[in-house]
């Protein structure tokens, strides 16, 4: 058995650790952004006493004459075309209530579900009664769900990734990430199962360490982090020093790949 | 206890993992998450401690006040426990039930002669004694509350400094209590025999130590074992609506004793190390 107890260590701010000047203009609600009235105000700001004041805590972004504040931590705000992973919380008459980490609960209508068999027909009374069979309370549309902040999931062309290590991830834009074993591997039952468990646990820990260090999540960053974590034991990945080391290495590789 | 809703697929995944001794975060069945302990975080208490166990965050403050001894135990002081659940899941009155449950458990495990030497808390028999009010604040609930709370209570009691007082009797027979002039002159409690709680959750055919909220949702029955540093079990309690086989109970108790001894040893070394750093150590507190 393993037991580790330690004294807490204060975390150094990110810019200090990276050793470069990455200071963004961070504001908190009530901070003055600028007294210049020539700017158009965007999201997260309001005009008060002839100056532009921030209404959310985040970093200031400026595009020509538009100033807006991008909040660091928000609930998920949906856009058309987003992929989301949700958890069913209620079964109602002709619809399901889904929890998607947004301001309100989402609704999934029976009429918008693709029925088994792929047929297109009017939803009958039998379909309503069979709703529980399709999706029940607690259901997710074999795997692990990781919940992170929506702002850390990078917008990409596709959110369904099959990683070479044997597992697949679905990166929901709402911050819900579903990790599951890649379907072809399901044929090898017993021996493959334990290996799958290890891969999924490792991936989960890697995603958590990336999130703790506030790194954007996308297939490349997750894969590099997974490879950087291989020399360590799975349970050690969550230890603060090892987490920092792995994420540093991931950051290095990503920078090298870019430039 | 706060719970999360899990789908059947996730529960099956967790149960299978536990059978193979590989939990969702890569730990084995008898591994604890990383624990962070810090004492002396609240300045206006006699002793305090903060424990972070994964997502579980507990703050304990101990205040020593003068009171009258209980009638049946005139030579001893006593401890009073109060637990407050301040997490957002327990809005309004919801946390009261959990708080009373935890407080009652703490009363039970301290309800024996050897846990804390209550005679040291006596000032003058039948008249004055020290009462230690132990307040537990639940800052965040991430599973395994009892273990974290018992570790925090032990660390806070270790950190408690009770001012030294003398009883002066003058000629007319009236007593006066004099506080020592030196603010650092205090008595400390011996926490060698203070027990810690080890929670063992039964998942499938095996039991795990230090369950997360998701693992607790998969477990129908758990055993709370209160163990001292020497491996002596002071009290045991079963929670949950499932049943436990007597053999499982015996196995879980043995695991609890084994794990408890290691827990105590780690806690001892951490609080001693913290004390050896002296007053110049950098306090992390709540803004670190």
């Amino acid at each position: 058995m393993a037991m580790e107890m330690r004294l807490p260590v204060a975390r150094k701010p990110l810019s200090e650790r990276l050793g470069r000047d990455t200071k963004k203009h961070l504001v908190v609600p009530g901070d003055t952004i600028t007294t210049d009235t020539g700017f158009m105000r965007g999201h997260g700001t309001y005009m008060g006493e002839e100056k532009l004041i921030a209404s959310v805590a985040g970093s200031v972004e400026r595009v020509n004459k538009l100033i807006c504040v991008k909040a660091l931590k928000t609930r998920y705000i949906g856009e058309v075309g987003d992929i989301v992973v949700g958890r069913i919380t209620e079964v109602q008459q002709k619809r399901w209530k889904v929890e998607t980490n947004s301001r309100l609960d989402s609704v999934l209508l029976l009429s918008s579900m693709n029925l088994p068999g792929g047929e297109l027909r009017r939803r009958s009374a039998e379909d309503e009664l069979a709703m529980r069979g399709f999706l029940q309370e607690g259901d997710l549309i074999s795997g692990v769900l990781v919940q992170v902040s929506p702002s850390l999931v990078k917008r990409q062309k596709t959110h369904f990734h099959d990683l070479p290590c044997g597992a697949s991830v679905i990166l929901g834009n709402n911050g819900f990430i579903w990790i599951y074993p890649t379907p072809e591997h399901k044929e090898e039952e017993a021996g493959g199962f334990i290996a799958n468990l290890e891969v999924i646990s490792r991936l989960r820990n890697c995603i958590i360490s990336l999130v703790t260090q506030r790194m954007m999540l996308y297939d490349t960053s997750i894969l590099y982090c997974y490879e950087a974590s291989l020399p360590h034991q799975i349970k050690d990945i969550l230890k603060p020093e090892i987490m920092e080391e792995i994420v540093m290495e991931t950051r290095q590789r990503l920078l090298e790949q870019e430039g | 206890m706060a719970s999360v809703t899990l789908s059947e697929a996730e529960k099956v995944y967790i149960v299978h993992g536990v059978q193979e001794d590989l939990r969702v975060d890569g730990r084995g069945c008898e591994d604890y998450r990383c624990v962070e302990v810090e004492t002396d975080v609240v300045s206006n208490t006699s002793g305090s401690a903060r424990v972070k166990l994964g997502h579980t965050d507990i703050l304990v403050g101990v205040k020593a006040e003068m009171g009258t001894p209980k009638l049946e135990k005139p030579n001893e002081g006593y401890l009073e426990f109060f637990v407050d659940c301040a997490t957002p899941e327990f809005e309004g009155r919801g946390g009261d039930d959990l708080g009373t449950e935890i407080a009652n458990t703490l009363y039970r495990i301290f309800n024996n002669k050897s846990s804390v030497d209550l005679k040291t808390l006596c000032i003058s028999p039948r008249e004055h004694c020290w009462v230690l009010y132990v307040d537990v604040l639940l800052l965040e609930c991430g599973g395994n509350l009892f273990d974290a709370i018992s570790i925090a209570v032990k660390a806070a009691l270790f950190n408690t400094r009770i001012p030294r007082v003398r009883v002066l009797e003058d000629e007319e027979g009236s007593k006066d209590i004099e506080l020592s002039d030196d603010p650092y002159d205090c008595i400390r409690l011996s926490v060698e025999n203070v027990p810690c709680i080890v929670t063992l959750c039964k998942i499938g055919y095996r039991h795990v130590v230090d369950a997360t909220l998701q693992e607790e949702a998969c477990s129908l029955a758990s055993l709370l074992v209160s163990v001292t540093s020497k491996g002596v079990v002071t009290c045991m309690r079963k929670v949950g609506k499932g049943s436990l086989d007597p053999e499982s109970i015996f196995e879980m108790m043995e695991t609890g004793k084994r794990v408890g001894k290691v827990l105590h040893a780690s806690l001892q070394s951490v609080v001693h190390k913290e004390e050896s750093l002296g007053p110049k150590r950098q306090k992390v507190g709540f803004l670190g």
Side-chain angles (χ1 to χ4, degrees):
Chain A
M1 66 146 291
M3 168 95 224
E4 199 199 316
M5 249 197 237
R6 52 166 73 191
L7 294 171
V9 174
R11 269 180 49 188
K12 289 179 285 204
L14 190 61
S15 45
E16 225 181 88
R17 270 186 279 143
L18 289 178
R20 56 188 164 105
D21 240 348
T22 46
K23 286 199 169 31
K24 292 191 217 178
H25 185 192
L26 295 173
V27 289
V28 291
D31 266 1
T32 314
I33 303 173
T34 177
T35 41
D36 188 348
T37 49
F39 287 105
M40 287 194 290
R41 41 179 196 82
H43 287 297
T45 65
Y46 65 96
M47 196 63 108
E49 297 160 31
E50 291 191 28
K51 41 186 185 167
L52 211 56
I53 306 176
S55 61
V56 289
S59 51
V60 177
E61 292 189 355
R62 210 200 97 186
V63 180
N64 295 334
K65 282 230 162 240
L66 177 71
I67 288 196
C68 58
V69 182
K70 185 171 158 222
L72 286 173
K73 185 176 154 187
T74 52
R75 290 242 166 204
Y76 169 61
I77 303 165
E79 309 263 333
V80 174
D82 274 358
I83 301 277
V84 293
V85 178
R87 192 189 276 283
I88 307 288
T89 50
E90 261 182 69
V91 183
Q92 294 185 340
Q93 271 221 302
K94 281 201 180 119
R95 58 198 194 166
W96 291 273
K97 276 271 157 80
V98 186
E99 199 233 301
T100 46
N101 201 20
S102 37
R103 293 203 181 107
L104 304 166
D105 269 344
S106 315
V107 167
L108 178 61
L109 298 170
L110 179 61
S111 46
S112 34
M113 271 266 290
N114 289 334
L115 286 175
E119 20 175 298
L120 293 170
R121 54 177 170 82
R122 277 192 85 155
R123 303 323 190 227
S124 62
E126 284 103 24
D127 286 320
E128 272 191 64
L129 295 170
M131 271 177 81
R132 245 168 219 278
F134 299 149
L135 292 172
Q136 265 196 311
E137 276 99 334
D139 270 4
L140 277 187
I141 294 187
S142 185
V144 175
L145 183 76
V146 185
Q147 286 173 251
V148 307
S149 167
S151 44
L152 291 170
V153 180
K154 192 166 175 177
R155 287 231 136 93
Q156 284 188 288
K157 264 201 223 146
T158 170
H159 289 260
F160 296 79
H161 304 290
D162 281 338
L163 300 173
C165 44
S168 303
V169 285
I170 301 181
L171 296 165
N173 286 95
N174 58 338
F176 282 17
I177 298 175
W178 177 245
I179 314 172
Y180 59 104
T182 313
E184 310 95 66
H185 287 239
K186 267 195 191 148
E187 280 117 46
E188 349 156 1
E189 277 299 325
F193 187 70
I194 307 176
N196 265 335
L197 278 181
E198 286 185 3
V199 167
I200 292 181
S201 301
R202 196 174 277 277
L203 269 176
R204 178 200 176 268
N205 283 359
C206 286
I207 290 179
I208 290 181
S209 46
L210 285 171
V211 166
T212 320
Q213 304 283 328
R214 312 293 300 179
M215 286 221 28
M216 291 297 278
L217 287 175
Y218 51 107
D219 54 347
T220 325
S221 69
I222 297 177
L223 188 61
Y224 284 176
C225 192
Y226 178 83
E227 286 168 8
S229 76
L230 284 172
H232 303 277
Q233 272 203 321
I234 305 177
K235 56 188 170 185
D236 290 338
I237 301 175
L238 294 176
K239 289 195 189 146
E241 331 72 69
I242 300 189
M243 195 192 283
E244 270 184 38
E245 189 194 311
I246 294 177
V247 177
M248 271 300 189
E249 204 186 306
T250 312
R251 208 175 259 130
Q252 285 288 87
R253 273 184 80 179
L254 286 169
L255 283 175
E256 277 165 35
Q257 193 219 24
E258 275 170 38
Chain B
M1 211 73 70
S3 56
V4 287
T5 37
L6 285 185
S7 65
E8 286 307 314
E10 283 171 291
K11 285 190 190 165
V12 163
Y13 182 86
I14 292 178
V15 172
H16 274 173
V18 168
Q19 305 294 109
E20 309 288 342
D21 200 22
L22 184 66
R23 293 152 79 170
V24 174
D25 49 6
R27 287 184 287 155
C29 292
E30 294 183 11
D31 292 337
Y32 266 85
R33 287 169 283 184
C34 191
V35 187
E36 280 184 6
V37 178
E38 199 186 357
T39 61
D40 209 23
V41 280
V42 185
S43 48
N44 57 345
T45 52
S46 311
S48 60
R50 182 168 177 214
V51 168
K52 270 200 270 208
L53 174 65
H55 281 294
T56 305
D57 204 342
I58 311 280
L59 178 65
V60 172
V62 179
K63 280 196 135 119
E65 291 191 10
M66 287 228 271
T68 26
K70 295 193 174 151
L71 286 172
E72 63 271 14
K73 296 199 172 117
N75 295 328
E76 294 176 355
Y78 55 98
L79 277 79
E80 293 276 359
F81 294 98
F82 177 70
V83 180
D84 192 7
C85 299
T87 48
E89 294 107 61
F90 305 110
E91 275 172 323
R93 307 296 312 273
D96 284 356
D97 284 338
L98 179 61
T100 21
E101 192 194 333
I102 299 177
N104 287 340
T105 314
L106 287 171
Y107 275 119
R108 264 181 77 176
I109 65 173
F110 278 87
N111 190 22
N112 56 61
K113 290 187 286 263
S114 50
S115 295
V116 174
D117 191 5
L118 297 168
K119 293 201 172 45
T120 49
L121 297 175
C122 179
I123 304 172
S124 55
R126 285 185 300 276
E127 286 174 10
H128 299 111
C129 73
W130 285 112
V131 182
L132 294 180
Y133 291 99
V134 181
D135 294 314
V136 179
L137 188 62
L138 219 70
L139 296 170
E140 208 185 332
C141 178
N144 204 21
L145 289 176
F146 286 96
D147 293 31
I149 290 176
S150 63
I151 296 174
V153 168
K154 182 165 180 176
L157 287 173
F158 177 80
N159 180 241
T160 305
R161 277 151 178 72
I162 305 172
R164 209 183 282 279
V165 290
R166 281 188 311 153
V167 183
L168 300 169
E169 206 169 312
D170 54 14
E171 306 86 38
E172 286 124 44
S174 61
K175 292 191 182 154
D176 217 6
I177 297 188
E178 188 193 285
L179 190 64
S180 149
D181 285 332
D182 180 5
Y184 293 106
D185 185 17
C186 22
I187 50 174
R188 308 262 313 257
L189 288 174
S190 157
V191 293
E192 267 175 26
N193 289 322
V194 169
C196 271
I197 303 179
V198 177
T199 310
L200 300 125
C201 292
K202 189 141 177 71
I203 299 179
Y205 291 114
R206 297 188 64 158
H207 50 269
V208 297
V209 159
D210 191 20
T212 58
L213 278 178
Q214 286 84 8
E215 287 166 347
E216 280 178 359
C218 299
S219 156
L220 285 172
S222 310
L223 198 67
L224 296 173
V225 183
S226 150
V227 190
T228 62
S229 51
K230 296 189 186 66
V232 176
V233 175
T234 64
C235 104
M236 210 159 74
R237 203 178 127 212
K238 184 215 159 267
V239 291
K241 42 188 190 193
S243 58
L244 284 176
D245 206 68
E247 275 173 32
S248 322
I249 296 183
F250 184 73
E251 268 175 36
M252 286 157 94
M253 209 168 73
E254 293 298 309
T255 310
K257 283 200 260 185
R258 213 174 343 125
V259 170
K261 278 200 248 188
V262 179
L263 183 69
H264 279 284
S266 314
L267 182 59
Q268 284 282 77
S269 67
V270 166
V271 289
H272 280 268
K273 178 173 150 200
E274 196 188 27
E275 195 165 338
S276 66
L277 290 173
K280 293 195 199 64
R281 82 173 155 95
Q282 205 184 21
K283 290 199 186 175
V284 174
F286 294 91
L287 300 172

